[in-house]
Amino acid sequence: MTQTSHSTFEPQELALLQRCYAGVSIQRRVLGDADEANRLAAQIFELYRDGVRDEAELRSRLSARMPQAH
């Protein structure tokens, strides 16, 4: 994938981020929870901007950040 600025993503990068979001949102059961969905999306973008480009690595790091059930 190409190196991107902080505000522009290539279509293949967006596809990767969407796949990651879809998988982790199901795992976290955040469907319908707008606040948690926004937090998850922010975490994905943060990791990607920090250089995590591998989908499996993104999912692994996001799984490690899963909120604990109350």
Side-chain angles (χ1 to χ4, degrees), residues 32-70:
D33 183 341
D35 290 336
E36 184 58 25
N38 287 334
R39 280 190 289 275
L40 174 57
Q43 290 173 349
I44 292 169
F45 281 112
E46 177 185 352
L47 287 169
Y48 193 81
R49 288 183 181 132
D50 286 347
V52 181
R53 299 290 193 266
D54 180 73
E55 186 172 350
E57 181 66 18
L58 278 168
R59 287 178 181 232
S60 174
R61 290 191 187 201
L62 291 162
S63 293
R65 292 183 177 191
M66 280 185 66
Q68 300 299 315
H70 301 316

